Amino acid sequence: MSRKRILVSFILMAVVVTISGCKKTEPQPEAVQAPEFRWQIDQFADLKILRYQVPGFEALTPSQKELVYYLSEAALCGRDIIFDENYKYNLTIRKTLDAIVEGYKGDRTDPRWEKFMVYVKRVWFSNGIHHHYSTDKFLPEIEPDYFAELVRGSQGVSFPVAAGQSLDDFVAFLRPILFDPTVAPKKVSLDSTKDLVTSSAVNFYDGVTQADVEKYYEKITDKKDPTPVSYGLNSRLVRKDGKIVEQVASIDGLYGPAIKQIVFWLEKAVAVAENDQQKKTIEALIKYYRTGNLKDFDAYNVLWVGDMQSRIDFVNGFIEVYNDPMGRKATWESLVNFKDLEATKRADIISANAQWFEDNSPVDPKFKKKEVKGVAAKVITAAIIGGDCYPSTPIGINLPNANWIRVNYGSKSVTLENINYSYNQASLTSGLGPEFSSSPEELERVRTYGGQAGNIHTDFHEVLGHGSGQLLPGVTPESLKNYHSTIEEARGDLFALYFLMDPKTVELGLLPNVEAAKSAYDVEVRNGLMTQLTRIQPGKTIEESHMRDRALIAHWVYEKGLPENVISRISRDGKTYFVINDYGKLRKLYGDLLAEIQRITSEGDYEAAKSLVEAYGVKVDPDLHKEVLARYAKLNLAPYTGFINPVYTPVTGASGKIIDIKISLPEDYVGQMMEYGKKYGFL
Ligand code: ZN
């Protein structure tokens, strides 16, 4: 395997907080410049829908455009898989909702219709009936009888009724699934006092308990294997005829009809691959989809991570395990992208200095990497997002996830520049910064430096943070079980926070001055202690890993800093603010926590992870929460964002051969979802 890498870079535009083999989600953006393009096209419930542009697409060669087109089709063909993974009845529900939207002949000016459509749009957004972020089931704000009326009033469409089932029986069957809050209330339960498997609605398991799952994988895991497969990654574990068996995703297996289509487009992509390495990479992915063998998946990943030369790149497969309470089974996702050639400098600098950062981190030397390998980073332009990346998408991705591949072959870290840009543009009118900043100086500092500091935060988190440190022999990432994701994200964030304020960062020209680092601290503190609470329903606790990570960090440094008044909590006109009094001491606290989090990770100290996360990352102060929600409500913002995709249309020449691909940017969320349902509904 060649060790030669081309290291590329980033330019992004968001003030962020967060991100493992990782998905960094939802920046907290603040203004940069005036909008002209219509970025936001819809808003409903707690969601808004944006568009993104694909700058540079036109300048790709016809062959590269053709490759993007084929990979994009492969990306969209997996849409049904994520619906089914999220909950076993999601596809039935979506098909039913789609049929009503298409065929209902009754009064569409009825206010109830509008409420119905909000529910439909939410289901599309979440790829199912559970909130994409909180993972709580959400209910339609209409009566069951009205729903029955909608079904009966739809014409010229068919509903996914079971064989021999009448339409009335079908509606009765759906009723508790849609309207009863006690049926499948939670997609992913991380409540360790309950059976994580049976209390989660995700469709990775059927008829088995947490103990069954643990026992099953304990038995088949070869602990001595230095290159273990990611056991269970692409399968569903079920009890069948009294026996526990894995149903494996493949062209002839689980999700076969969708995978067949994915393979169809990947085969076309092979024919227009840019180079031999990329060709082999796509062929390896096809092989894996044919066999379902995780050894083939690893072989594909090794090739994929080694392909840094190609302009076009993609993610396509069962990748992230956030939605499995056992942290084992992956949701299907896809991203097609091409490298931003202009934005190279920053990542080059960071990658070139990766060893320096590792050597100088405040972590016990025995947990550090002696040799940091393959920190390959690039800034990319997203061309299409699919599966679990659509419509809510990450702003940074660091893959592959297999630890031994990362250690031996490195990882690729990408930042989705055009997605970040869209976030930022759309947030120009947001009043979030003015409402929650503790002073005009803080507001001004974040406005001046927030975007830039946010970019470096993301880069450090993805490129350095997740790539840093090492596990002691015998420790695996699964050691931390349901706390793994939170601890891993906290590790990434703390690495970033600690080094943002290092003089080296200014010396390398990554940030202009220490004020920029301060702006990142301002945002991190107020987000972790306050503003992210806007995403939590009253009475709920924090569930999502990135949010737990941010809460954990902020509450820990706040508490540990109390004796020296590092951060003070003030109240002005009945409003709470947090003020950082000593940035240097705060940095020291970030370093202390990083050292402990790295120890927990390296030793696989489950008990320590549990007590840290439960003490600082989960609970919500109800009074502060109430206040924050009230302040936020006045701003009339939607806390979560999703994107609709561009459309790629082939232009054929006289011979029928594709000679060009045209891109267009639609503005119709409902239209795109209905089209996807028809065009990519394979399961
Ligand atoms: Zn991360």
Side-chain angles (χ1 to χ4, degrees):
M1 175 90 226
S2 162
R3 304 301 307 166
K4 194 172 164 211
R5 284 165 203 288
I6 293 197
L7 302 170
V8 199
S9 107
F10 313 90
I11 288 186
L12 23 162
M13 313 292 300
V15 175
V16 182
V17 197
T18 175
I19 317 164
S20 147
C22 145
K23 270 187 160 181
K24 179 162 168 153
T25 50
E26 293 276 347
Q28 295 276 3
E30 286 171 33
V32 182
Q33 54 179 278
E36 290 156 9
F37 181 78
R38 188 170 167 244
W39 298 95
Q40 182 169 334
I41 57 164
D42 207 346
Q43 183 170 337
F44 47 91
D46 55 356
L47 309 169
K48 62 178 176 292
I49 306 294
L50 308 182
R51 295 192 289 169
Y52 61 94
Q53 298 175 329
V54 191
F57 179 77
E58 306 288 354
L60 296 176
T61 66
S63 170
Q64 286 172 328
K65 288 186 198 175
E66 199 176 340
L67 178 59
V68 167
Y69 170 66
Y70 294 142
L71 292 171
S72 294
E73 289 296 314
L76 297 172
C77 288
R79 180 169 180 253
D80 280 3
I81 300 175
I82 182 65
F83 273 84
D84 190 71
E85 286 184 308
N86 281 339
Y87 178 45
K88 62 181 170 183
Y89 296 123
N90 276 339
L91 280 173
T92 303
I93 294 162
R94 196 199 73 211
K95 287 173 189 172
T96 304
L97 300 178
D98 284 8
I100 295 170
V101 174
E102 185 181 344
Y104 184 59
K105 300 299 177 203
D107 180 9
R108 294 196 182 205
T109 60
D110 188 319
R112 292 176 300 173
W113 174 262
E114 199 179 320
K115 286 188 171 160
F116 167 72
M117 281 308 298
V118 168
Y119 180 70
V120 177
K121 289 193 216 178
R122 295 184 75 186
V123 172
W124 287 332
F125 189 100
S126 296
N127 297 305
I129 63 168
H130 299 89
H131 193 277
H132 75 292
Y133 217 75
S134 75
T135 86
D136 292 325
K137 177 172 170 178
F138 52 86
L139 304 177
E141 291 181 2
I142 54 170
E143 293 300 317
D145 287 349
Y146 179 62
F147 178 74
E149 200 180 308
L150 294 177
V151 173
R152 282 192 294 267
S154 298
Q155 294 166 21
V157 289
S158 58
F159 289 96
V161 294
Q165 196 178 33
S166 71
L167 201 56
D168 284 344
D169 288 348
F170 176 66
V171 170
F173 160 76
L174 281 182
R175 187 171 171 149
I177 295 172
L178 295 183
F179 294 94
D180 185 341
T182 65
V183 173
K186 193 89 193 160
K187 184 169 82 175
V188 187
S189 171
L190 297 177
D191 178 354
S192 55
T193 63
K194 293 185 194 154
D195 184 311
L196 296 175
V197 169
T198 56
S199 59
S200 299
V202 277
N203 197 18
F204 296 127
Y205 306 98
D206 198 12
V208 293
T209 64
Q210 181 176 347
D212 291 335
V213 175
E214 283 167 354
K215 210 169 119 194
Y216 180 87
Y217 286 105
E218 175 74 23
K219 202 173 160 192
I220 66 167
T221 299
D222 178 357
K223 292 206 190 65
K224 295 206 183 81
D225 186 353
T227 61
V229 296
S230 304
Y231 294 98
L233 189 74
N234 63 339
S235 69
R236 183 192 291 151
L237 197 69
V238 303
R239 187 183 298 277
K240 218 176 169 187
D241 305 326
K243 282 185 103 170
I244 296 177
V245 290
E246 273 190 310
Q247 297 173 334
V248 177
S250 76
I251 202 163
D252 304 311
L254 183 65
Y255 303 133
I259 292 175
K260 193 175 163 202
Q261 298 295 325
I262 294 168
V263 167
F264 171 83
W265 291 105
L266 290 177
E267 283 176 336
K268 287 188 175 292
V270 168
V272 290
E274 294 175 85
N275 53 57
D276 201 44
Q277 170 92 11
Q278 189 179 53
K279 182 167 176 279
K280 283 184 184 150
T281 304
I282 302 171
E283 284 171 342
L285 179 58
I286 293 170
K287 185 182 177 201
Y288 159 63
Y289 275 137
R290 289 191 182 284
T291 65
N293 187 334
L294 289 167
K295 285 253 179 241
D296 291 333
F297 182 57
D298 286 345
Y300 153 72
N301 275 310
V302 168
L303 286 164
W304 178 79
V305 82
D307 179 15
M308 289 300 289
Q309 307 277 349
S310 304
R311 180 81 192 273
I312 316 293
D313 205 352
F314 66 97
V315 174
N316 185 305
F318 299 87
I319 308 291
E320 302 286 1
V321 299
Y322 299 102
N323 276 354
D324 178 6
M326 304 299 287
R328 183 176 289 285
K329 305 204 171 283
T331 47
W332 191 92
E333 67 175 46
S334 188
L335 161 72
V336 181
N337 64 80
F338 54 92
K339 199 152 61 181
D340 183 336
L341 297 176
E342 301 304 312
T344 55
K345 279 213 171 105
R346 228 171 59 215
D348 278 347
I349 293 171
I350 293 171
S351 299
N353 289 280
Q355 190 69 51
W356 185 92
F357 287 106
E358 182 77 2
D359 294 345
N360 288 277
S361 89
V363 159
D364 188 318
K366 66 174 181 269
F367 304 138
K368 288 185 187 181
K369 276 204 175 85
K370 303 280 171 290
E371 189 193 347
V372 179
K373 277 186 196 167
V375 180
K378 55 183 178 177
V379 175
I380 55 146
T381 303
I384 211 94
I385 48 179
D388 205 15
C389 292
Y390 171 86
S392 171
T393 190
I395 57 172
I397 293 179
N398 182 324
L399 292 172
N401 284 330
N403 192 52
W404 68 266
I405 299 179
R406 298 171 72 85
V407 170
N408 295 318
Y409 299 94
S411 64
K412 267 195 234 179
S413 180
V414 302
T415 302
L416 286 68
E417 195 275 344
N418 57 330
I419 296 290
N420 276 304
Y421 187 74
S422 178
Y423 265 119
N424 232 30
Q425 291 296 305
S427 72
L428 292 175
T429 52
S430 152
L432 200 68
E435 178 60 39
F436 291 99
S437 297
S438 67
S439 66
E441 294 73 37
E442 181 189 319
L443 178 63
E444 192 51 35
R445 186 162 52 224
V446 173
R447 281 200 167 146
T448 306
Y449 300 112
Q452 203 174 357
N455 294 345
I456 302 295
H457 189 309
T458 308
D459 299 349
F460 279 4
H461 175 120
E462 293 283 359
V463 185
L464 302 176
H466 285 307
S468 71
Q470 62 181 0
L471 304 179
L472 294 185
V475 176
T476 68
E478 290 83 32
S479 307
L480 300 181
K481 295 189 224 176
N482 49 317
Y483 297 105
H484 164 73
S485 294
T486 298
I487 292 293
E488 180 58 22
E489 292 314 311
R491 207 169 68 89
D493 271 347
L494 287 162
F495 202 96
L497 289 163
Y498 182 77
F499 283 111
L500 275 164
M501 200 157 284
D502 198 289
K504 183 82 172 178
T505 300
V506 174
E507 188 190 302
L508 291 172
L510 296 169
L511 288 178
N513 52 45
V514 74
E515 289 300 298
K518 286 183 183 176
S519 76
Y521 283 21
D522 294 335
V523 172
E524 187 77 19
V525 165
R526 77 176 183 230
N527 183 63
L529 294 172
M530 278 200 301
T531 50
Q532 74 167 358
L533 294 175
T534 59
R535 296 178 180 177
I536 305 284
Q537 302 273 318
K540 302 272 182 189
T541 57
I542 304 173
E543 294 270 353
E544 200 275 338
S545 305
H546 298 84
M547 289 181 70
R548 284 185 166 190
D549 135 47
R550 296 164 195 168
L552 188 169
I553 293 173
H555 286 97
W556 193 92
V557 295
Y558 175 70
E559 185 190 291
K560 302 296 173 191
L562 282 175
E564 296 194 84
N565 198 28
V566 176
I567 301 169
S568 50
R569 175 178 174 158
I570 61 168
S571 182
R572 208 165 48 222
D573 305 327
K575 293 177 177 181
T576 303
Y577 300 91
F578 289 91
V579 185
I580 301 172
N581 301 310
D582 190 327
Y583 288 86
K585 282 182 180 154
L586 179 54
R587 182 188 180 215
K588 170 81 173 50
L589 289 170
Y590 284 142
D592 293 347
L593 185 55
L594 173 58
E596 171 61 4
I597 292 266
Q598 183 60 55
R599 183 199 66 74
I600 288 171
T601 302
S602 294
E603 296 180 352
D605 188 343
Y606 175 79
E607 287 305 323
K610 182 179 176 181
S611 56
L612 202 52
V613 175
E614 294 292 343
Y616 297 98
V618 177
K619 288 177 229 135
V620 176
D621 170 351
D623 294 331
L624 181 60
H625 191 195
K626 202 172 154 195
E627 177 201 319
V628 167
L629 289 177
R631 288 162 71 182
Y632 187 75
K634 286 191 185 149
L635 303 172
N636 195 29
L637 302 173
Y640 301 101
T641 307
F643 294 84
I644 65 165
N645 275 317
V647 173
Y648 298 95
T649 311
V651 180
T652 48
S655 65
K657 204 175 163 339
I658 292 177
I659 52 169
D660 196 12
I661 305 289
K662 292 287 175 212
I663 179 173
S664 59
L665 304 173
E667 296 185 57
D668 181 4
Y669 174 64
V670 172
Q672 179 154 95
M673 289 298 182
M674 289 298 286
E675 189 198 335
Y676 280 9
K678 277 194 177 348
K679 207 172 161 192
Y680 304 107
F682 301 117
L683 298 177

